[in-house]
Amino acid sequence: MRTFIAIEIPQNIKEKIYEAFEKEREKEKGVKWVEKENLHITLKFLGEIDERKVKEIEKILEEEIPLKFKSFEAKLEELDGFPNFKNPRVLWIGVSPKEKIKEIFEFIEERIEEEKMNIEKEVREFHPHITIARIKVKGKFSFERKKFDENFKINRIALFKSDLRPEGPIYTLLKEVKLKDE
């Protein structure tokens, strides 16, 4: 099954992000916008893994994450793009504090490697972000570099199954763990 580990973001933050791009969703063709309910911060894309590995990942999340990490305040940053903002293939909103989120990512990477699950390590540098759109057609897009000033609490890590469909992916929650309260 196709899976990933993510930080869930609160519903009110999802709604603010979604509302911020209402005009762009109406006018920009060739852009595939992420559905409001699918907005999240990916920590680790696991890809296609079997049921045994899913259970191992669930165990790591459930038994180790709440002991090692406390909940913390996060903040949305500005709109940016991969590979760059001038000619993006992916539009995203940065999230800080980058160091704390990166610490969770690195812990997950290390634990997966220690368990010898044969899941590839991420080769690109980790940038905590919320993907909001994918550019499907090369063209001239004029996206305003919107800045956000929204704070929210990061207090849950989740394992999701991802079913790819023509109308867009469907994410199913497999396991959710709460971080320790501060």
Side-chain angles (χ1 to χ4, degrees), residues 86-104:
K86 190 174 179 181
N87 190 18
R89 286 193 310 267
V90 175
L91 289 174
W92 52 273
I93 299 168
V95 183
S96 62
K98 292 174 177 42
E99 304 77 30
K100 282 191 175 190
I101 301 169
K102 190 173 182 178
E103 190 180 329
I104 299 170

PDB file of all heavy atoms in Angstrom, residues 86-104:
ATOM      1  N   LYS A  86       9.807  31.394  -9.450  1.00  0.00           N
ATOM      2  CA  LYS A  86       9.624  32.003 -10.767  1.00  0.00           C
ATOM      3  C   LYS A  86       9.025  31.016 -11.776  1.00  0.00           C
ATOM      4  O   LYS A  86       8.199  31.387 -12.608  1.00  0.00           O
ATOM      5  CB  LYS A  86      10.968  32.526 -11.276  1.00  0.00           C
ATOM      6  CG  LYS A  86      10.860  33.383 -12.496  1.00  0.00           C
ATOM      7  CD  LYS A  86      12.198  33.971 -12.863  1.00  0.00           C
ATOM      8  CE  LYS A  86      12.059  34.814 -14.105  1.00  0.00           C
ATOM      9  NZ  LYS A  86      13.327  35.389 -14.516  1.00  0.00           N
ATOM     10  N   ASN A  87       9.433  29.757 -11.681  1.00  0.00           N
ATOM     11  CA  ASN A  87       8.945  28.731 -12.604  1.00  0.00           C
ATOM     12  C   ASN A  87       8.642  27.452 -11.808  1.00  0.00           C
ATOM     13  O   ASN A  87       9.336  26.453 -11.953  1.00  0.00           O
ATOM     14  CB  ASN A  87      10.000  28.480 -13.689  1.00  0.00           C
ATOM     15  CG  ASN A  87       9.465  27.625 -14.814  1.00  0.00           C
ATOM     16  OD1 ASN A  87       8.250  27.481 -14.974  1.00  0.00           O
ATOM     17  ND2 ASN A  87      10.354  27.025 -15.566  1.00  0.00           N
ATOM     18  N   PRO A  88       7.582  27.490 -10.981  1.00  0.00           N
ATOM     19  CA  PRO A  88       7.350  26.362 -10.069  1.00  0.00           C
ATOM     20  C   PRO A  88       6.675  25.164 -10.735  1.00  0.00           C
ATOM     21  O   PRO A  88       5.913  25.306 -11.678  1.00  0.00           O
ATOM     22  CB  PRO A  88       6.409  26.971  -9.025  1.00  0.00           C
ATOM     23  CG  PRO A  88       5.634  27.986  -9.801  1.00  0.00           C
ATOM     24  CD  PRO A  88       6.601  28.543 -10.803  1.00  0.00           C
ATOM     25  N   ARG A  89       6.994  23.994 -10.213  1.00  0.00           N
ATOM     26  CA  ARG A  89       6.232  22.781 -10.533  1.00  0.00           C
ATOM     27  C   ARG A  89       5.304  22.444  -9.369  1.00  0.00           C
ATOM     28  O   ARG A  89       4.300  21.782  -9.534  1.00  0.00           O
ATOM     29  CB  ARG A  89       7.171  21.617 -10.836  1.00  0.00           C
ATOM     30  CG  ARG A  89       7.858  21.736 -12.194  1.00  0.00           C
ATOM     31  CD  ARG A  89       8.535  20.443 -12.628  1.00  0.00           C
ATOM     32  NE  ARG A  89       9.394  19.855 -11.635  1.00  0.00           N
ATOM     33  CZ  ARG A  89      10.702  20.058 -11.518  1.00  0.00           C
ATOM     34  NH1 ARG A  89      11.317  20.853 -12.362  1.00  0.00           N
ATOM     35  NH2 ARG A  89      11.415  19.483 -10.581  1.00  0.00           N
ATOM     36  N   VAL A  90       5.718  22.908  -8.177  1.00  0.00           N
ATOM     37  CA  VAL A  90       4.929  22.710  -6.957  1.00  0.00           C
ATOM     38  C   VAL A  90       4.876  24.041  -6.210  1.00  0.00           C
ATOM     39  O   VAL A  90       5.894  24.707  -6.052  1.00  0.00           O
ATOM     40  CB  VAL A  90       5.572  21.636  -6.050  1.00  0.00           C
ATOM     41  CG1 VAL A  90       4.829  21.505  -4.730  1.00  0.00           C
ATOM     42  CG2 VAL A  90       5.638  20.295  -6.752  1.00  0.00           C
ATOM     43  N   LEU A  91       3.675  24.415  -5.759  1.00  0.00           N
ATOM     44  CA  LEU A  91       3.520  25.594  -4.903  1.00  0.00           C
ATOM     45  C   LEU A  91       3.327  25.110  -3.473  1.00  0.00           C
ATOM     46  O   LEU A  91       2.588  24.148  -3.230  1.00  0.00           O
ATOM     47  CB  LEU A  91       2.299  26.413  -5.323  1.00  0.00           C
ATOM     48  CG  LEU A  91       2.415  27.163  -6.637  1.00  0.00           C
ATOM     49  CD1 LEU A  91       1.079  27.797  -6.984  1.00  0.00           C
ATOM     50  CD2 LEU A  91       3.497  28.235  -6.553  1.00  0.00           C
ATOM     51  N   TRP A  92       3.977  25.780  -2.541  1.00  0.00           N
ATOM     52  CA  TRP A  92       3.902  25.374  -1.150  1.00  0.00           C
ATOM     53  C   TRP A  92       4.032  26.558  -0.216  1.00  0.00           C
ATOM     54  O   TRP A  92       4.518  27.614  -0.596  1.00  0.00           O
ATOM     55  CB  TRP A  92       4.963  24.326  -0.831  1.00  0.00           C
ATOM     56  CG  TRP A  92       6.374  24.697  -1.214  1.00  0.00           C
ATOM     57  CD1 TRP A  92       6.963  24.500  -2.430  1.00  0.00           C
ATOM     58  CD2 TRP A  92       7.362  25.325  -0.397  1.00  0.00           C
ATOM     59  NE1 TRP A  92       8.257  24.954  -2.408  1.00  0.00           N
ATOM     60  CE2 TRP A  92       8.527  25.460  -1.161  1.00  0.00           C
ATOM     61  CE3 TRP A  92       7.376  25.767   0.923  1.00  0.00           C
ATOM     62  CZ2 TRP A  92       9.690  26.045  -0.679  1.00  0.00           C
ATOM     63  CZ3 TRP A  92       8.541  26.350   1.425  1.00  0.00           C
ATOM     64  CH2 TRP A  92       9.675  26.476   0.622  1.00  0.00           C
ATOM     65  N   ILE A  93       3.603  26.336   1.038  1.00  0.00           N
ATOM     66  CA  ILE A  93       3.728  27.335   2.088  1.00  0.00           C
ATOM     67  C   ILE A  93       4.695  26.773   3.128  1.00  0.00           C
ATOM     68  O   ILE A  93       4.512  25.649   3.610  1.00  0.00           O
ATOM     69  CB  ILE A  93       2.362  27.626   2.744  1.00  0.00           C
ATOM     70  CG1 ILE A  93       1.395  28.184   1.695  1.00  0.00           C
ATOM     71  CG2 ILE A  93       2.518  28.591   3.916  1.00  0.00           C
ATOM     72  CD1 ILE A  93      -0.044  28.229   2.156  1.00  0.00           C
ATOM     73  N   GLY A  94       5.704  27.554   3.444  1.00  0.00           N
ATOM     74  CA  GLY A  94       6.681  27.129   4.435  1.00  0.00           C
ATOM     75  C   GLY A  94       6.086  27.104   5.837  1.00  0.00           C
ATOM     76  O   GLY A  94       5.100  27.781   6.124  1.00  0.00           O
ATOM     77  N   VAL A  95       6.701  26.304   6.693  1.00  0.00           N
ATOM     78  CA  VAL A  95       6.265  26.175   8.079  1.00  0.00           C
ATOM     79  C   VAL A  95       7.495  26.241   8.981  1.00  0.00           C
ATOM     80  O   VAL A  95       8.520  25.630   8.697  1.00  0.00           O
ATOM     81  CB  VAL A  95       5.530  24.831   8.319  1.00  0.00           C
ATOM     82  CG1 VAL A  95       5.022  24.739   9.752  1.00  0.00           C
ATOM     83  CG2 VAL A  95       4.380  24.639   7.340  1.00  0.00           C
ATOM     84  N   SER A  96       7.378  27.005  10.060  1.00  0.00           N
ATOM     85  CA  SER A  96       8.452  27.068  11.046  1.00  0.00           C
ATOM     86  C   SER A  96       7.884  26.701  12.421  1.00  0.00           C
ATOM     87  O   SER A  96       6.675  26.745  12.597  1.00  0.00           O
ATOM     88  CB  SER A  96       9.087  28.460  11.057  1.00  0.00           C
ATOM     89  OG  SER A  96       8.129  29.428  11.424  1.00  0.00           O
ATOM     90  N   PRO A  97       8.687  26.276  13.364  1.00  0.00           N
ATOM     91  CA  PRO A  97      10.142  26.263  13.374  1.00  0.00           C
ATOM     92  C   PRO A  97      10.699  25.061  12.606  1.00  0.00           C
ATOM     93  O   PRO A  97      10.407  23.905  12.926  1.00  0.00           O
ATOM     94  CB  PRO A  97      10.500  26.177  14.860  1.00  0.00           C
ATOM     95  CG  PRO A  97       9.335  25.457  15.474  1.00  0.00           C
ATOM     96  CD  PRO A  97       8.137  25.837  14.657  1.00  0.00           C
ATOM     97  N   LYS A  98      11.480  25.352  11.604  1.00  0.00           N
ATOM     98  CA  LYS A  98      12.036  24.319  10.734  1.00  0.00           C
ATOM     99  C   LYS A  98      12.856  23.288  11.504  1.00  0.00           C
ATOM    100  O   LYS A  98      12.781  22.103  11.228  1.00  0.00           O
ATOM    101  CB  LYS A  98      12.901  24.968   9.648  1.00  0.00           C
ATOM    102  CG  LYS A  98      12.123  25.777   8.642  1.00  0.00           C
ATOM    103  CD  LYS A  98      13.079  26.484   7.696  1.00  0.00           C
ATOM    104  CE  LYS A  98      12.430  27.260   6.608  1.00  0.00           C
ATOM    105  NZ  LYS A  98      11.284  28.051   6.915  1.00  0.00           N
ATOM    106  N   GLU A  99      13.642  23.752  12.481  1.00  0.00           N
ATOM    107  CA  GLU A  99      14.542  22.855  13.215  1.00  0.00           C
ATOM    108  C   GLU A  99      13.768  21.770  13.960  1.00  0.00           C
ATOM    109  O   GLU A  99      14.169  20.609  13.972  1.00  0.00           O
ATOM    110  CB  GLU A  99      15.409  23.646  14.211  1.00  0.00           C
ATOM    111  CG  GLU A  99      16.214  24.761  13.593  1.00  0.00           C
ATOM    112  CD  GLU A  99      15.375  26.020  13.273  1.00  0.00           C
ATOM    113  OE1 GLU A  99      14.367  26.305  13.970  1.00  0.00           O
ATOM    114  OE2 GLU A  99      15.704  26.696  12.293  1.00  0.00           O
ATOM    115  N   LYS A 100      12.668  22.156  14.624  1.00  0.00           N
ATOM    116  CA  LYS A 100      11.895  21.175  15.399  1.00  0.00           C
ATOM    117  C   LYS A 100      11.234  20.151  14.486  1.00  0.00           C
ATOM    118  O   LYS A 100      11.200  18.962  14.786  1.00  0.00           O
ATOM    119  CB  LYS A 100      10.832  21.871  16.256  1.00  0.00           C
ATOM    120  CG  LYS A 100      11.391  22.502  17.491  1.00  0.00           C
ATOM    121  CD  LYS A 100      10.271  22.932  18.408  1.00  0.00           C
ATOM    122  CE  LYS A 100      10.843  23.455  19.705  1.00  0.00           C
ATOM    123  NZ  LYS A 100       9.826  23.660  20.722  1.00  0.00           N
ATOM    124  N   ILE A 101      10.703  20.622  13.365  1.00  0.00           N
ATOM    125  CA  ILE A 101      10.050  19.703  12.422  1.00  0.00           C
ATOM    126  C   ILE A 101      11.092  18.790  11.792  1.00  0.00           C
ATOM    127  O   ILE A 101      10.877  17.584  11.642  1.00  0.00           O
ATOM    128  CB  ILE A 101       9.241  20.479  11.359  1.00  0.00           C
ATOM    129  CG1 ILE A 101       8.167  21.336  12.046  1.00  0.00           C
ATOM    130  CG2 ILE A 101       8.613  19.519  10.344  1.00  0.00           C
ATOM    131  CD1 ILE A 101       7.482  22.341  11.147  1.00  0.00           C
ATOM    132  N   LYS A 102      12.239  19.370  11.452  1.00  0.00           N
ATOM    133  CA  LYS A 102      13.323  18.581  10.861  1.00  0.00           C
ATOM    134  C   LYS A 102      13.829  17.520  11.835  1.00  0.00           C
ATOM    135  O   LYS A 102      14.198  16.420  11.426  1.00  0.00           O
ATOM    136  CB  LYS A 102      14.466  19.504  10.429  1.00  0.00           C
ATOM    137  CG  LYS A 102      15.513  18.813   9.597  1.00  0.00           C
ATOM    138  CD  LYS A 102      16.522  19.797   9.046  1.00  0.00           C
ATOM    139  CE  LYS A 102      17.522  19.067   8.179  1.00  0.00           C
ATOM    140  NZ  LYS A 102      18.494  19.962   7.585  1.00  0.00           N
ATOM    141  N   GLU A 103      13.819  17.811  13.108  1.00  0.00           N
ATOM    142  CA  GLU A 103      14.247  16.848  14.126  1.00  0.00           C
ATOM    143  C   GLU A 103      13.338  15.601  14.106  1.00  0.00           C
ATOM    144  O   GLU A 103      13.819  14.475  14.208  1.00  0.00           O
ATOM    145  CB  GLU A 103      14.208  17.519  15.501  1.00  0.00           C
ATOM    146  CG  GLU A 103      14.850  16.714  16.592  1.00  0.00           C
ATOM    147  CD  GLU A 103      14.791  17.438  17.937  1.00  0.00           C
ATOM    148  OE1 GLU A 103      14.813  18.684  17.963  1.00  0.00           O
ATOM    149  OE2 GLU A 103      14.709  16.738  18.957  1.00  0.00           O
ATOM    150  N   ILE A 104      12.040  15.819  13.950  1.00  0.00           N
ATOM    151  CA  ILE A 104      11.101  14.687  13.866  1.00  0.00           C
ATOM    152  C   ILE A 104      11.369  13.893  12.590  1.00  0.00           C
ATOM    153  O   ILE A 104      11.440  12.661  12.617  1.00  0.00           O
ATOM    154  CB  ILE A 104       9.639  15.168  13.920  1.00  0.00           C
ATOM    155  CG1 ILE A 104       9.368  15.892  15.242  1.00  0.00           C
ATOM    156  CG2 ILE A 104       8.673  13.985  13.741  1.00  0.00           C
ATOM    157  CD1 ILE A 104       8.020  16.612  15.291  1.00  0.00           C
TER     158      ILE A 104
END
